[in-house]
Amino acid sequence: MKKVLALILAFCMIFALTACGSKTPASTESAAPSGGTEITLWTYPIGNWGDEKTVKALTDAFTAETGIKVTVEYLTYKDGDDKVNTAITAKKTPDLVMEGPERLVSNWGANGHMVDISDLFDDTDKKEINAAALAACFNADGKAYEYPLVMTAHCMAVNYNAFVEAGADQYINKETHTWTTEQFLKAVDALYAKYGDTVGAVFCNGQGGDQGTRALVNNLYGGTFTNAEHTAYTWDDAKNIKALKTLYDQNGIAYDASIVGGDEIANFYNGIFKMAFCWNIAQQLNPNSAGNGAGKTANGDEIVFMAFPSEDGTAKLQGGIWGFGIFDNGDAAKIEASKKFIKYMCDSAKTVDAVRASNFFAARSAAEGTDLSKVWADNEVMNEYTKLMPMLGDYYQVTTNWATARTAWWNMLQKVGASDGSEAAITAAVNEFCGQANGK
Amino acid sequence: MKQTMSPRLRRRENISGYLFLLPSLVFFLGFVVYPMVSCIYLSFTDANMDANTPTKWIWFANYVELWQDEVFLKGLWNTIIIVLVSVPVVCIFSLWVASAIHKMKEGPLSFFRIVFYLPVITGSVAVTVVWKWMYNNYYGIFNYLLKGVGVIDKNINWLGDPKYALACIILILLTTSVGQPIVLYVSALSNVDQSLVEAAEVDGATNTQVFWKIRWPQIMPTTLYILVITTINSFQCFALIQLLTSGGPNYATETIMYYIYYTAFKLYRFGYGNAMGVVLAIFIAILSAIQFRMAKEK
């Protein structure tokens, strides 16, 4: 009897151990009619696509119409990539993932983990989808690893009250949300004269929000980050070096290796900085995710979103594109079900709901006869923000070696910030890290 | 009368014993042995995320590349600095504190043990966030205090300036590392044979002589243990770097552990990252062996 008990105990312990090791992610499932295919979706927090209640309503509607059950897991930007990469290594990837082309196309797609979904794009789709977004979803071989749902333009923001106090409001065009490099530098001078401290930071602790620093540097004197073919990194050109030196020499602007974009936003929201280089419509609607009302800092100052300054006042903004891709798990039925999900969310009468859930703009003008250009007609802030959309520049995040290039960029900024600020030192830092990005 | 078990009974006892061992054994094999073997194997390959090209066996190429990689060498140097500073400081400081408090009454003794042990039981993320706030360039308490007493006239970017960043990391590491050694030393000092101490005092030994001739030899095993765990912890400094500096500014706080993470999970060079892991393990093993050897000789 004693041995039987011992045996049972041992097996219990083994099973307990097995239970500890089993993977049960925090997830939600849509109610499904029995017998339907089941698919899994991992989504990054793209607006309310990170909100369980919102997403469940969308997936439940999909399930009710198709009978396909959807299990959703919510990723964060902090550890989402690690989770996906671990899943790839363990061959436990989800069927669907929602994020942007820099991950889906140039990373997981380029590395052979995604299904080519080019068959989902017919001629009508190609006409309706924004050209930049469409191009970003395809790789050089003509294979598509993402179907775009929404897009936005990343921009910067200024504390308008502080600008008025410093007399710097004369340098911004509040109607068009544009300014020139000269006006930007004069505005910083005025702010520095008034506040005597750092008013804006070239943050470079890590990659968080780095699209802001790239756009700032590239726009100041018309530099580029990559070539048009997306085959090489070009941020070692003289225009970018001039921009980096201008920022280094500018009183009131600091290269800060202790903060990332999120910290910069927090400092801006709390009135420490008078401008933020990491901004977009999501921040404008809910600054610092503080739930304190749209377009207001912590103490109620007005936040005005602005295009990045350029010599002629016409900025090329960094785009954000988000959509769905399918991991290649070798199950034809699940791939087919995933394609149905994509078409349902991105190209159907229900696309309006999927777009609104993201708080961004539709990546296409219409979907199956539904006009998507007026999705946000009832929202004043969103409507105003559409003024920036024509300024969308090249979506270069699909360039080869993107992960290395991204890291090289903020490491380069750190080195520039720690240098003596001479042109030679800045050029050396730029050449070193741009060389790394180009695989030299 | 000597009783012997029958072979059948002995076999059954053995089977029962092994069955009880099985869960731990499975865990050990699955989460320690397998990853170790896998790490060594992968370090000789070019394993990465690319499913389109098969993993190639590249012999020692990763190991050769390591010694030509300036970031790895910088990380190695920073790691060595962290170890060289934090290990002696932790040992000496914790011994000093323990010596000062171990004779106290239960109440004050518990109070000091709690004070020094709190950072150990507080979550590392919470501790780091608090330190990040204190170091903040714009509103941190260090700048506020130092400016207040006139030591500095301009804010210092503690974590953003290569001159200060590593020292700031080491300071946090020290505060989170001294708790356990203090508790261990208090316990070890309390267990020192008092009759020997009293005999030495009767013979006219000074406090210093009592400490070095009587107490120090008796707490040597504890010292050895503290040296080894502090060395390993210092070598494995990762969370602080990840949460505070990402190895910057300008690689000033890059450590081997952080570079392994960065190489494997940001650049997806699993083979190269594993090679670094093997080198790190060898370093730790060698240092631990030296420490054991030295303590044994003493």
Side-chain angles (χ1 to χ4, degrees):
Chain A
M1 187 61 193
K2 197 171 139 191
K3 288 194 179 58
V4 174
L5 278 172
L7 214 63
I8 292 168
L9 184 63
F11 277 112
C12 284
M13 289 167 81
I14 292 168
F15 282 119
L17 186 73
T18 315
C20 288
S22 70
K23 190 171 173 295
T24 318
S27 59
T28 54
E29 291 179 356
S30 55
S34 58
T37 311
E38 291 183 23
I39 54 173
T40 50
L41 163 69
W42 286 10
T43 174
Y44 284 77
I46 299 147
N48 282 334
W49 273 90
D51 174 60
E52 187 179 329
K53 195 178 160 193
T54 307
V55 177
K56 192 168 185 314
L58 290 165
T59 54
D60 279 352
F62 169 72
T63 302
E65 195 168 309
T66 62
I68 299 166
K69 183 178 169 184
V70 185
T71 304
V72 186
E73 186 173 346
Y74 301 89
L75 305 175
T76 67
Y77 279 106
K78 189 115 186 129
D79 64 356
D81 289 356
D82 290 347
K83 275 188 179 173
V84 174
N85 293 332
T86 305
I88 288 172
T89 313
K91 301 193 189 310
K92 298 278 183 193
T93 46
D95 300 300
L96 281 157
V97 63
M98 183 183 194
E99 226 295 304
E102 66 266 35
R103 287 182 174 83
L104 274 61
V105 179
S106 60
N107 186 355
W108 303 321
N111 284 316
H113 303 294
M114 310 292 289
V115 174
D116 175 14
I117 52 172
S118 51
D119 58 315
L120 290 183
F121 297 83
D122 60 24
D123 289 343
T124 311
D125 295 326
K126 287 177 181 172
K127 277 183 204 154
E128 289 172 348
I129 296 172
N130 173 283
L134 184 70
C137 293
F138 284 79
N139 73 359
D141 302 332
K143 289 178 178 169
Y145 295 120
E146 174 160 348
Y147 199 99
L149 171 67
V150 288
M151 59 195 294
T152 191
H154 293 293
C155 62
M156 61 177 290
V158 301
N159 180 323
Y160 190 68
N161 294 51
F163 267 58
V164 171
E165 277 178 34
D169 54 318
Q170 60 181 306
Y171 302 118
I172 62 170
N173 187 330
K174 218 177 158 191
E175 285 302 308
T176 61
H177 300 273
T178 57
W179 48 352
T180 64
T181 299
E182 191 185 352
Q183 288 170 324
F184 165 74
L185 296 174
K186 281 182 178 170
V188 175
D189 280 336
L191 289 163
Y192 185 71
K194 169 77 181 170
Y195 298 103
D197 212 336
T198 303
V199 295
V202 182
F203 51 88
C204 48
N205 178 267
Q207 69 181 35
D210 55 355
Q211 75 279 350
T213 53
R214 290 196 307 267
L216 174 67
V217 171
N218 290 162
N219 273 293
L220 275 182
Y221 295 107
T224 55
F225 199 75
T226 68
N227 60 10
E229 299 77 34
H230 301 152
T231 53
Y233 294 91
T234 54
W235 39 271
D236 54 352
D237 68 22
K239 291 170 181 172
N240 287 325
I241 291 169
K242 184 180 176 187
L244 290 163
K245 176 146 178 62
T246 300
L247 292 168
Y248 187 98
D249 293 337
Q250 179 64 44
N251 281 331
I253 299 289
Y255 283 80
D256 193 335
S258 69
I259 58 171
V260 289
D263 304 315
E264 187 224 29
I265 289 169
N267 283 344
F268 173 69
Y269 176 75
N270 287 300
I272 294 161
F273 294 156
K274 311 305 176 198
M275 57 180 68
F277 302 123
C278 177
W279 206 255
N280 62 27
I281 184 61
Q283 283 300 326
Q284 189 66 25
L285 289 168
N286 185 13
N288 202 31
S289 306
N292 197 23
K296 299 283 178 203
T297 65
N299 67 355
D301 286 354
E302 183 186 356
I303 296 171
V304 175
F305 61 83
M306 293 292 294
F308 286 95
S310 66
E311 281 184 302
D312 62 0
T314 55
K316 285 179 180 161
L317 299 182
Q318 173 78 77
I321 298 167
W322 296 274
F324 300 96
I326 303 173
F327 274 107
D328 189 358
N329 291 326
D331 185 330
K334 290 195 173 199
I335 290 172
E336 204 48 46
S338 299
K339 284 182 177 177
K340 272 188 190 165
F341 179 88
I342 289 175
K343 284 304 259 184
Y344 177 90
M345 292 297 168
C346 303
D347 186 20
S348 76
K350 305 289 182 183
T351 302
V352 174
D353 299 331
V355 169
R356 288 188 76 95
S358 72
N359 283 338
F360 292 125
F361 302 95
R364 61 195 301 153
S365 56
E368 296 296 308
T370 308
D371 183 4
L372 296 175
S373 64
K374 294 185 172 59
V375 169
W376 296 109
D378 58 341
N379 187 312
E380 194 184 330
V381 180
M382 296 291 282
N383 242 338
E384 182 71 10
Y385 201 87
T386 54
K387 288 178 179 173
L388 296 186
M389 296 307 283
M391 298 180 210
L392 267 182
D394 180 30
Y395 193 88
Y396 54 70
Q397 293 99 308
V398 289
T399 306
T400 315
N401 217 18
W402 175 248
T404 305
R406 203 174 174 192
T407 309
W409 173 257
W410 57 263
N411 275 312
M412 182 272 292
L413 292 179
Q414 289 188 351
K415 194 154 189 174
V416 169
S419 74
D420 60 8
S422 66
E423 194 170 326
I426 292 174
T427 305
V430 169
N431 288 339
E432 177 189 345
F433 288 98
C434 192
Q436 273 183 23
N438 283 318
K440 289 175 190 164
Chain B
M1 192 176 71
K2 192 181 175 187
Q3 285 188 326
T4 52
M5 275 195 278
S6 70
R8 195 173 163 217
L9 193 58
R10 188 189 299 255
R11 198 167 58 244
R12 282 187 176 179
E13 287 283 322
N14 283 344
I15 289 170
S16 305
Y18 283 122
L19 281 174
F20 276 105
L21 270 179
L22 199 56
S24 301
L25 202 61
V26 169
F27 191 88
F28 181 71
L29 289 173
F31 292 96
V32 179
V33 176
Y34 172 72
M36 275 173 65
V37 173
S38 173
C39 174
I40 294 167
Y41 168 76
L42 287 172
S43 73
F44 293 103
T45 70
D46 67 347
N48 56 41
M49 286 276 283
D50 191 350
N52 297 320
T53 48
T55 299
K56 283 202 302 273
W57 182 265
I58 55 170
W59 293 102
F60 290 94
N62 285 328
Y63 291 94
V64 172
E65 187 183 341
L66 276 182
W67 304 106
Q68 295 160 350
D69 183 342
E70 285 178 19
V71 181
F72 173 77
L73 296 175
K74 176 77 177 165
L76 179 62
W77 177 241
N78 287 338
T79 307
I80 289 169
I81 290 174
I82 290 172
V83 172
L84 288 180
V85 174
S86 67
V87 173
V89 171
V90 165
C91 287
I92 293 166
F93 180 78
S94 51
L95 180 57
W96 175 64
V97 172
S99 302
I101 67 173
H102 85 280
K103 285 181 184 167
M104 288 179 174
K105 288 179 182 169
E106 194 53 39
L109 178 61
S110 296
F111 171 76
F112 281 111
R113 277 197 292 211
I114 289 168
V115 166
F116 285 106
Y117 207 74
L118 261 180
V120 181
I121 56 167
T122 311
S124 61
V125 175
V127 169
T128 309
V129 168
V130 172
W131 276 97
K132 189 176 182 180
W133 178 81
M134 292 196 290
Y135 282 136
N136 191 285
N137 182 18
Y138 306 99
Y139 50 81
I141 197 163
F142 287 135
N143 280 327
Y144 176 77
L145 290 174
L146 291 174
K147 269 169 93 173
V149 297
V151 175
I152 57 172
D153 55 0
K154 207 173 137 191
N155 281 0
I156 292 175
N157 194 350
W158 299 103
L159 295 171
D161 189 328
K163 288 200 294 282
Y164 306 107
L166 188 62
C168 292
I169 295 288
I170 291 174
L171 181 61
I172 306 174
L173 190 64
L174 293 177
T175 62
T176 54
S177 302
V178 294
Q180 196 181 14
I182 287 173
V183 171
L184 291 170
Y185 268 136
V186 166
S187 171
L189 287 167
S190 304
N191 289 331
V192 168
D193 190 340
Q194 282 306 304
S195 62
L196 293 176
V197 174
E198 283 162 16
E201 283 170 349
V202 167
D203 289 343
T206 62
N207 280 343
T208 311
Q209 286 172 321
V210 168
F211 180 81
W212 286 113
K213 301 289 182 188
I214 309 291
R215 290 202 168 97
W216 179 246
Q218 292 195 51
I219 61 170
M220 184 50 87
T222 305
T223 303
L224 177 63
Y225 175 72
I226 289 168
L227 277 174
V228 172
I229 59 160
T230 311
T231 304
I232 292 172
N233 286 343
S234 304
F235 262 113
Q236 295 184 339
C237 178
F238 171 76
L240 286 177
I241 309 289
Q242 159 78 344
L243 292 166
L244 288 176
T245 62
S246 305
N250 200 15
Y251 304 118
T253 59
E254 191 80 47
T255 61
I256 300 183
M257 273 303 284
Y258 184 77
Y259 196 45
I260 290 173
Y261 162 79
Y262 167 74
T263 306
F265 296 104
K266 296 294 175 197
L267 302 182
Y268 312 121
R269 295 188 63 195
F270 301 133
Y272 191 50
N274 276 303
M276 280 187 244
V278 171
V279 170
L280 178 65
I282 291 170
F283 266 106
I284 294 175
I286 291 171
L287 262 181
S288 301
I290 292 170
Q291 286 169 339
F292 270 107
R293 187 74 177 260
M294 283 169 68
K296 209 174 170 185
E297 280 171 4
K298 286 227 169 185

